[in-house]
Amino acid sequence: MADLILHHYWPSPFAHKIRMAMGLAGLPWTSVEIPRVPPKPLLLPLTAGYRRTPVLQVGADVYCDTHNIARALADTAPEVGERLFPGPSRGAALVLAEWVDQTLFPLAIRAVMAEALDTASPDFIQDRGDLYFGPGWTPEGLRSEAPGVILQLEAALGRLESWLAGLGHCDYRELSYGDVAAAFIAWFLRGRWSRGGEVLRHYPYLREVESALEGAGQQPAQEIAAEKALAIAAQTVPQASTGIQCPSDLVVGQSVGIRPYVRSSDPEVFGRLRALTSDRISIDHEARDVGDVVVHFPITGYQIRSVD
């Protein structure tokens, strides 16, 4: 198997989640650090313009979105899949992780950013505000909504705590990717929000999962420059298969556009359809610095359209 190359930056919460997943799975990985805000000239040639963090590169195959990356990691070998999704836990773990991303994180990022408006750089605030909240957001609106957002956040954390309590203590059950998703939100709140530690005191099962995964996967096997990662892609042939494996009007070879199905500043990504399954779409992309690569996106959470 080709090296797992993670394009990330260390403070990224979503990159932290994937690093924990690789630690839980026992997978060595190679680090490429990328800028926190655009432009990202040594990443976008690989991703057809996708700008979010992290991105997993395996030779000339490039995986975007953390749930898609988790599935790709699980598919590397049966024993890896069992570590990330032990027993019959795959469906439940993915549902929990998606709920954390779609319900809990949007509340957490609002609480964190409302507090950071006066301390973080204006460029960073503007970029993340546009990315997470879409056009038309304002600092004043973010501040005024914060008390109600925090009430929602604490209610959602209570639901997460109930889910984890139903699974039981970590000392007599196997951890899964669902636990990784829970630990990532705890790590984010504790590290970025002044009230994070105080609020997390009320959720002992969540704190237990956070502690069990502390430090997992945070040491790369090696670090390489972004230019070397581009050269690896250029020297490698994509391994992705070709074909349509689910009912669809889309056909192999046609041009498609892909973007997150939320209001955000994400650019639309374009490419030629290579493969489509019930949970992944793969597009062929060519750029001068990388040659031919295949970029993989999940179906869930993304809007896909024909542009022919």
Side-chain angles (χ1 to χ4, degrees):
M1 181 183 69
D3 288 345
L4 302 175
I5 302 174
L6 189 69
H7 297 255
H8 70 126
Y9 58 89
W10 290 101
S12 164
F14 289 97
H16 185 78
K17 177 167 65 168
I18 290 303
R19 294 191 299 262
M20 281 194 294
M22 290 190 290
L24 179 63
L27 290 168
W29 58 281
T30 295
S31 171
V32 173
E33 287 200 55
I34 62 175
R36 296 182 71 177
V37 297
K40 302 182 180 185
L42 299 179
L43 175 69
L44 301 189
L46 277 172
T47 65
Y50 178 83
R51 55 140 304 172
R52 294 204 181 202
T53 307
V55 168
L56 180 70
Q57 176 189 352
V58 186
D61 286 271
V62 180
Y63 296 87
C64 303
D65 190 275
T66 54
H67 300 305
N68 189 36
I69 292 172
R71 290 187 178 99
L73 294 175
D75 291 342
T76 58
E79 61 272 19
V80 175
E82 182 62 21
R83 292 186 199 116
L84 284 175
F85 303 108
S89 70
R90 184 182 182 106
L94 288 171
V95 167
L96 175 59
E98 289 179 358
W99 179 81
V100 169
D101 278 7
Q102 295 170 10
T103 299
L104 250 175
F105 183 77
L107 296 169
I109 191 63
R110 284 182 175 274
V112 168
M113 281 193 60
E115 186 176 79
L117 287 172
D118 297 325
T119 56
S121 73
D123 289 347
F124 181 81
I125 290 292
Q126 188 64 52
D127 178 75
R128 291 307 193 268
D130 292 346
L131 186 68
Y132 290 125
F133 312 140
W137 80 279
T138 65
E140 296 75 20
L142 197 62
R143 282 194 182 96
S144 67
E145 293 173 357
V149 165
I150 291 169
L151 287 175
Q152 293 185 69
L153 173 61
E154 292 177 340
L157 287 169
R159 291 185 181 181
L160 177 59
E161 178 74 3
S162 296
W163 176 293
L164 296 173
L167 297 177
H169 288 289
C170 298
D171 58 358
Y172 67 83
R173 68 175 179 88
E174 294 180 285
L175 295 171
S176 77
Y177 180 66
D179 295 291
V180 168
F184 123 86
I185 203 71
W187 175 86
F188 179 65
L189 288 171
R190 187 181 299 280
R192 306 295 175 81
W193 188 34
S194 65
R195 290 186 54 195
E198 172 195 348
V199 167
L200 289 171
R201 287 192 302 107
H202 302 292
Y203 310 106
Y205 281 91
L206 178 55
R207 294 200 320 273
E208 184 181 48
V209 169
E210 178 191 18
S211 177
L213 287 164
E214 184 178 5
Q218 303 305 310
Q219 294 294 326
Q222 62 176 324
E223 299 179 5
I224 63 173
E227 291 86 353
K228 183 174 181 180
L230 297 182
I232 289 170
Q235 297 162 8
T236 310
V237 176
Q239 299 300 302
S241 59
T242 302
I244 306 294
Q245 300 179 28
C246 62
S248 174
D249 294 331
L250 299 174
V251 297
V252 170
Q254 77 174 105
S255 296
V256 294
I258 304 169
R259 65 172 300 153
Y261 194 56
V262 293
R263 285 169 52 85
S264 78
S265 60
D266 288 281
E268 190 169 22
V269 170
F270 299 97
R272 298 180 308 280
L273 179 61
R274 181 185 181 102
L276 182 68
T277 70
S278 61
D279 57 21
R280 178 178 291 153
I281 183 169
S282 305
I283 59 173
D284 286 307
H285 168 66
E286 188 273 333
R288 183 188 62 186
D289 294 331
V290 298
D292 295 320
V293 298
V294 176
V295 190
H296 305 270
F297 293 90
I299 300 298
T300 302
Y302 286 76
Q303 179 67 23
I304 300 159
R305 67 182 183 96
S306 170
V307 295
D308 285 342

